[in-house]
Structure formats: structure tokens, C-alpha cells
Amino acid sequence: MHAVTERFLGLSPRLWAFWALIVYLALGLSGLEKNTPTGDEHLHITRGLAWWWQDDARFSHAHPPLANLLQGIPGAATAEEWPFDEKPGWSRANVDKASRVFFKERRDARSLVVRGRLVTLLFGALLLLYLFIWLREQFSLPVAVAGVFLVGTTPMYLAHAQLVTTDFAVAAIMFVVFGETYRMLDRPGWHPPLRVGLLVGAAVVTKHSAPLGIVIIAALGLGYGWFKGRRYAPLATKDRVKRVLADLAIISVAGLLVINLAYRFDRTMMTMGAMRAEKEPAHHMQRKGKQVLDYGPFKKFPDFVPMPIPYMHVYGMSEVWLHSTGGHESYFKGEVRRTGWWDYFPTLLLIKTPVGALLLFGLALVLLWLRRKRPPPAILGLLLFAGLLLIPMMASSINIGARHALVVLVPLLVVAAWAAGQIWEDRRRARWAHGLVVAAVASSVVGSFLVPEYLGDFNFLVGREGGHDISIIGEDWSQDTSRFSRKAKKRKWKPLLYEPNSVGAKYEPKRFGVNYDKLTCKTMPDKSTYIAVHRARLYRRRHKGCYRWIKDAKRIDVINQHIEVYWWEKPPEPEPDPVPAPGPAAPPAPGAKK
């Protein structure tokens, strides 16, 4: 086996990169069209299209604009423009209202989402190319090959590469920020910090959580570079300080330029006082008598302080801060609450990562322990980055899907790939060890072709059904509404009650010619009917007294562990009490008049 695989590894590196991309794209393209627009995609595509068609970034407050404006390019370039400024939601920057109107009135809204998904898929392909180049440069060809195949075929990675969101994009950019920071520490000149600065700015205007990861990378990079990196370590202390400050200045200027470009320099350099005087965008968490800017990282800034970033970014960071402190209702291991669980993200990483990759990651920890006196700096840095990022995630009160852990998943898979390469290159290892590496990587690749749908996938440690009992929010994200609609049409489920789980799902049944009446928490059917309900809603609401009809209904189908279909039969009307037949007339009383 070793000789055969060695022959394969002797192929051109370009050919290996090509095959990795072919496998990834073949898997990724499979779900672009067939999956229904998920819970947040209507919001993201609306932001991206409005950025181009209205030359305005006002919708980009809950999420910064960069990923969305890139995802909006195919639709903005090929579809007829839409006058968002003449529609509800524009004046108060209410993207939720604007997106609902857009999806209701535009027949091509779904196809615009699909076109945006192509851009996200391209993000994933570019990250795989970068991974291959970076891992081959830092380690070896076997590590690079294992890395691109492990990352590119992990169901969690593939699932979000098929969606118009910001989570996948920020995970890709953050890894490149780490890689280029590590490169910078061993290279002279002003080009490396400029690249890092542009990437830092790109990460900040992709997701509001990015600054936390950037601070961690900066701390790790400064610690390593000060003592080991060739950029700083050989210099005298005074010269080291000057070089660090100069690099930070270049990174800051480049980053601020990207941030302001993404927002079209809208209301930048305003003082905090002027920002507080602005009429705030509509937000569901606004509290009576207070503004969103009264919360978050900028609440104590004096009014006279000028802000070198646009108003919408300042507001957006405060909005996310408010959301984080208020929490978000979720479901985990049979419990529903708003405050989150410390083990939520570690558990999902454990049960959604392929077992072969988990095995290699365990071997990586063993190898690092054996080499603890001289651990590889890049691998140790990736482990520390993922671990330090996971700690605040464990304290988060927003536990609404594994997608928020993508930024941790990619570094951990790279560490697993490093272990595979190390074992493979060690000629002293027994053949069974080499076979184990091949089997672990191959199991991830082959397994990805067998997964029916990536977003709700779990590894065989718990299985799909067991995994959905642990976590359903983010797994059932409306993507299966198209599968449900096809089956409803084929089996003639009429009449039908259905509660859509997203704006995109609302219009999906009608695309297949399936009509339905809307189901709500308190709906009680008045006639025999089929009823379809998403498990994400069922699990989260059943403790509130919703869906009382379910105790008398018969479950007839479950669509991909996400949509339960019931038949509810109206009980027969009770028969009226019989009216007694009239008896013989009573004789007249004595003395009564006739």
C-alpha cells in the first residue's frame, strides 16, 4: 500500500490541487440548486443586492457588507434592478422587512440566492488552494494533500460552502490572516504587513466577531515573532519595538481603508456624539428609552471622540453586543433556553467532524506531546488559536448552529492533516500505521459522497437521528422544504397545514404546485388534514403548549430528520341525544273544565 500511495504522491503538485478542487466542487455543486433558501439567506442576499443597486450599505449593520456584496455580484450583474429605496424597510434600514417584500414580489429571488451561493463555493475553493500552497511551503506535500482533502470533504465545511452567509467567508479569511501573519514574521519588507492589514480589514467587514480572532492572532504572532521570528528576534530591543510599531501602523492603515471602502465611506470620522444623535436603524432588540449605542464596546466613549470607521459598523458592533447579552432561544440535549451551554460548541465539533479526522487529531496531540521540547511553531500556533477562540465561544449565549464554530474547525483539521503527513513520512512506522493514515483520510473523502445532506449531518458516533436529538437548531434550517414539497405533490397531501421555517421556505411549496394553509403555534384544525411541522420549531415550542393537535395525530413521514408529517383526522360529531316519543295523554284532573 505504501509503494502505491508513494507513486500517487509523486504526481505533480498541481495535479493534486486540481483533483482536490474537483472533488470539492463536485460535492459542493450538488446542493446549490436543490436546497431551499435557509433561515438567513434572504437577509444576506438582500444586503448584497442593495449594496450594488442602491450604492448604499445601510442594510449591513447586523452583518458587515464584504461577504454579502461579493455574493450579490452575480445577481446584481445579471438581474433587473430592484428599487429598494421605494419599498418598505428602506428608510429605517430594516433589512428583515425589505427582504420579505423582495421575496414576495420578485419571482427570481430564489435564483438570486443560488447565484450568490456560487460565490461562497468559490471562497471555499480559494481557501483550499491557499491551504495546499501554505501547507506544502511550511511542511510537505503529504501534509498538503491530507489537508485539502480533509478540509474540502468535511460535511460541515461543504454544508456552509453552499449557503449565502458570512460564517463560511470569515472562517476562510481568518485562516488566511493566520497564515499570512505567520509568514510575515519570517520575512522582511513592508509588503507582508500590508497584506496582513488588507486581510484584517477584510475579516472585520465580513463578521463582527472577527476582531476577537484577530486579537488572538496578534498576541500569538507578537509572542512568537519577538523571540523566534526572523523579522524581529535578531534586532536589538529598541529596533524591535520600532519595527513592531511600524508594522502595526501599516496593518492599521490598510485595515481601516478596507473597512471604509466596504461601507463606501458612509458617515465615517463622525464623533461619537454625532453618531448618538443619528436616528438608529430598526432593530427588534431596541429597548424603550435607550438606543443600541447605549450598549456595547463604544457606550463609554466620550462624545468628542471621532471614529475612523463608518457609523453603520459602530452601530452593528453594538447591535451584536446587545444580541449576545440578551441571548437567543435554542435547543440542546432536550433543553430549551436563551443563555446557552458551555459544552455546546465542543459537543458539535465532536459529533459533526468525521471520525477519521478525529482520530488523526488525537494522534496529532500525541505527537505534539512526544515533541513537546521542540513543537512545530505553526501547528502549536493553530492549536492555541483554535483553543483560545473556543473558550469565549463556550461562554456565548448564542448557540444557534455549528456554523459559528467553522472558524475553529478549519485549524483543527489542518492539525489533523499534519499528523497524517508526519506518520506517512516516518519510514520507521509499521505498515499498519501508514494504512491507518490512508484509511482515515479516505474515509472522510468517501463518506462525504454518501452523506444525503450536509447541513444536518452527524458522524457515526451518534448517527443522524441521535445527533438531531442533541442539536436541531441550525441543522433544520429549511433546506429540506424542497424535498418535502416534491413528496407532498407526489403523494397528494391535501388539504395541508404547514408552518414555514424561513422566508425562503414560505414560497417553496408553491414552486412545486403545492398549496397549503399556514400552521401556527395555536392552530387547531377544523377538518381532517395533513400537517407538516419543522422539528426545529417543534422541539423549541412544545414546552410552550403549542401544537395541541399532535397528541391525536398519526405521524406518517419524516423528511430527512427535519420535517415531520402527520395525518390528523377530525373526530366524528357526537350524535344528539334521542328525543323521547310522546306518551298517551294524561286523564283530566277531577273537576277540571273540558
Side-chain angles (χ1 to χ4, degrees):
M1 178 182 290
H2 192 284
V4 173
T5 313
E6 279 285 7
R7 198 176 306 145
F8 282 130
L9 285 175
L11 295 173
S12 164
R14 292 181 182 178
L15 195 59
W16 273 115
F18 171 77
W19 280 113
L21 287 177
I22 289 295
V23 171
Y24 163 74
L25 291 173
L27 295 169
L29 287 167
S30 65
L32 291 190
E33 174 63 34
K34 70 181 181 183
N35 288 337
T36 301
T38 55
D40 289 346
E41 285 187 284
H42 65 289
L43 301 169
H44 290 294
I45 199 64
T46 299
R47 292 186 187 103
L49 294 172
W51 195 95
W52 290 106
W53 287 341
Q54 301 296 152
D55 297 330
D56 198 307
R58 70 177 60 199
F59 286 154
S60 300
H61 45 88
H63 289 264
L66 182 60
N68 292 160
L69 73 88
L70 293 174
Q71 291 156 340
I73 289 175
T78 58
E80 182 182 352
E81 290 192 12
W82 179 257
F84 285 106
D85 57 345
E86 299 173 8
K87 301 292 182 178
W90 181 257
S91 60
R92 290 293 309 280
N94 189 336
V95 66
D96 182 61
K97 182 182 288 187
S99 64
R100 290 176 185 276
V101 172
F102 182 72
F103 267 70
K104 181 179 180 180
E105 299 184 8
R106 285 286 295 240
R107 291 187 176 182
D108 62 345
R110 189 187 193 277
S111 69
L112 293 173
V113 171
V114 173
R115 289 175 230 180
R117 289 172 171 176
L118 285 169
V119 176
T120 315
L121 196 66
L122 180 61
F123 269 126
L126 292 175
L127 176 59
L128 291 180
L129 278 176
Y130 180 84
L131 265 176
F132 188 85
I133 295 168
W134 191 81
L135 290 175
R136 188 162 177 255
E137 176 188 282
Q138 300 296 330
F139 302 106
S140 64
L141 180 59
V143 175
V145 171
V148 292
F149 278 105
L150 279 179
V151 174
T153 60
T154 294
M156 204 164 127
Y157 185 88
L158 286 163
H160 295 280
Q162 299 174 342
L163 302 179
V164 178
T165 66
T166 58
D167 304 291
F168 187 85
V170 79
I173 295 172
M174 287 303 298
F175 186 87
V176 180
V177 170
F178 178 92
E180 289 306 295
T181 301
Y182 187 77
R183 274 177 165 174
M184 182 189 77
L185 298 175
D186 284 325
R187 296 184 180 184
W190 57 271
H191 294 90
L194 177 62
R195 279 198 301 273
V196 171
L198 295 174
L199 288 164
V200 164
V204 169
V205 288
T206 298
K207 199 167 182 69
H208 287 303
S209 58
L212 176 61
I214 290 165
V215 169
I216 293 172
I217 291 173
L220 293 173
L222 189 58
Y224 170 74
W226 189 268
F227 297 105
K228 298 286 187 180
R230 286 179 289 176
R231 187 176 183 87
Y232 304 132
L235 302 176
T237 302
K238 186 177 180 180
D239 293 331
R240 260 189 266 184
V241 172
K242 288 181 179 179
R243 177 66 63 83
V244 168
L245 292 176
D247 287 347
L248 289 175
I250 294 172
I251 292 169
S252 300
V253 171
L256 286 172
L257 177 62
V258 173
I259 293 169
N260 281 284
L261 280 171
Y263 285 94
R264 298 177 176 272
F265 288 88
D266 177 40
R267 288 174 286 180
T268 191
M269 290 306 297
M270 292 175 67
T271 64
M272 278 304 302
M275 288 189 175
R276 292 186 177 108
E278 287 282 307
K279 188 175 183 179
E280 291 192 337
H283 186 255
H284 70 282
M285 295 191 72
Q286 281 169 332
R287 299 173 185 177
K288 188 176 180 181
K290 283 201 171 188
Q291 294 182 301
V292 171
L293 287 181
D294 292 331
Y295 303 89
F298 306 105
K299 66 179 181 180
K300 293 185 178 180
F301 277 39
D303 285 348
F304 63 83
V305 174
M307 300 298 293
I309 54 179
Y311 166 77
M312 274 301 177
H313 195 72
V314 174
Y315 173 84
M317 292 186 71
S318 302
E319 183 180 356
V320 170
W321 186 289
L322 182 60
H323 187 190
S324 299
T325 56
H328 196 111
E329 187 180 73
S330 189
Y331 168 93
F332 185 57
K333 294 190 293 188
E335 186 180 3
V336 176
R337 67 185 189 205
R338 296 186 67 88
T339 52
W341 298 263
W342 71 268
D343 58 337
Y344 179 82
F345 289 110
T347 300
L348 290 189
L349 286 168
L350 179 65
I351 63 179
K352 291 181 77 71
T353 303
V355 173
L358 291 176
L359 173 64
L360 291 173
F361 180 74
L363 292 174
L365 296 180
V366 173
L367 290 174
L368 283 171
W369 174 254
L370 295 175
R371 304 178 189 184
R372 59 189 178 275
K373 292 184 179 180
R374 296 189 65 183
I379 295 301
L380 186 60
L382 282 170
L383 265 181
L384 288 172
F385 169 62
L388 291 173
L389 200 55
L390 188 59
I391 291 171
M393 289 172 64
M394 291 166 66
S396 171
S397 59
I398 300 181
N399 295 168
I400 52 174
R403 62 188 183 275
H404 293 159
L406 279 170
V407 69
V408 174
L409 175 70
V410 176
L412 296 183
L413 290 174
V414 170
V415 172
W418 170 78
Q422 292 297 298
I423 294 171
W424 183 260
E425 292 175 318
D426 190 345
R427 300 290 180 174
R428 297 168 297 175
R429 302 283 179 188
R431 288 188 177 183
W432 66 265
H434 296 141
L436 183 66
V437 168
V438 174
V441 176
S443 67
S444 181
V445 177
V446 174
S448 62
F449 282 92
L450 305 177
V451 172
E453 184 269 319
Y454 297 118
L455 195 56
D457 181 66
F458 294 88
N459 61 33
F460 70 76
L461 292 178
V462 292
R464 286 183 68 84
E465 187 169 351
H468 283 91
D469 287 338
I470 295 171
S471 174
I472 192 68
I473 308 302
E475 276 67 51
D476 171 17
W477 217 17
S478 295
Q479 72 274 17
D480 292 303
T481 308
S482 58
R483 296 174 179 85
F484 157 71
S485 301
R486 288 190 190 94
K487 188 170 280 191
K489 182 177 182 180
K490 182 179 180 181
R491 297 192 178 180
K492 298 179 180 179
W493 288 337
K494 298 177 183 179
L496 175 65
L497 284 172
Y498 170 60
E499 184 176 20
N501 200 26
S502 70
V503 171
K506 182 178 180 180
Y507 303 102
E508 196 77 340
K510 294 179 181 178
R511 195 169 72 91
F512 292 88
V514 176
N515 295 316
Y516 67 90
D517 292 320
K518 187 176 180 181
L519 175 73
T520 66
C521 165
K522 300 299 181 182
T523 297
M524 198 64 196
D526 58 1
K527 60 183 177 182
S528 297
T529 185
Y530 293 96
I531 305 175
V533 59
H534 285 267
R535 277 186 170 174
R537 289 189 179 270
L538 187 62
Y539 284 19
R540 195 159 54 178
R541 288 182 171 183
R542 59 187 173 187
H543 70 288
K544 298 179 180 179
C546 294
Y547 313 126
R548 289 177 298 163
W549 48 265
I550 205 167
K551 66 181 185 298
D552 300 317
K554 179 183 179 182
R555 192 172 73 183
I556 60 172
D557 207 342
V558 180
I559 312 298
N560 200 23
Q561 301 293 330
H562 294 152
I563 303 176
E564 297 190 0
V565 184
Y566 292 85
W567 168 249
W568 185 87
E569 190 164 355
K570 184 179 180 180
E573 296 287 343
E575 295 184 5
D577 294 333
V579 179
K593 293 182 179 181
K594 293 184 180 180

